[in-house]
């Protein structure tokens, strides 16, 4: 991707993150996200084929940021108890953030959409690696 395309992707992800965070996955439309950034809906579909793919990209961005923050903790010259406490604090914050992004109800969590199940499984694998390192 060119620098311009990367910039557009970042703009899309930030707008989508705000929309999903405020209205949730189900109540957010691609048209609203496109309007938020002054882009046509067709142009938005050029980057993301549907709302679930865009949601996946937003959650992956959030997960990558969480993993990065936790990796920084592992580089600290602190004892295991401190690192574990900080990890748990960050994990709780991330969990709340994800719940806000998706605004999922209890029944939706029990039978999640395939994209959410995939994201959860990927994240759990990364998180397991981190806990082993701690």
């Amino acid at each position: 991707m060119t620098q311009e395309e990367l910039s557009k992707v970042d703009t899309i992800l930030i707008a989508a993150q705000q929309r999903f965070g405020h209205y949730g996955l189900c109540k957010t439309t691609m048209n609203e996200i496109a309007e938020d950034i002054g882009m046509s809906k067709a142009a938005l579909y050029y980057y993301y084929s549907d709302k679930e793919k865009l949601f996946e990209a937003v959650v992956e961005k959030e997960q990558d940021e969480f993993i990065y923050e936790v990796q920084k903790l592992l580089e600290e010259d602190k004892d295991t108890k401190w690192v574990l406490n900080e990890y748990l604090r960050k994990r709780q914050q991330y969990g709340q953030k994800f719940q806000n992004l998706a605004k999922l109800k209890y029944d939706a969590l029990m039978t999640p959409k395939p994209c959410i199940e995939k994201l959860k499984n990927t994240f759990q694998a990364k998180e397991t690696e981190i806990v082993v390192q701690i």
Side-chain angles (χ1 to χ4, degrees), residues 71-98:
Q71 290 292 345
K72 284 184 359 185
L73 285 177
L74 294 172
E75 295 169 7
E76 296 269 341
D77 188 21
K78 303 285 185 174
D79 68 349
T80 303
K81 183 178 177 181
W82 181 88
V83 174
L84 188 56
N85 282 332
E86 285 300 303
Y87 161 75
L88 291 172
R89 187 179 60 75
K90 288 183 180 299
R91 179 61 172 92
Q92 182 181 19
Q93 290 171 343
Y94 172 75
Q96 289 171 337
K97 198 174 202 179
F98 178 75

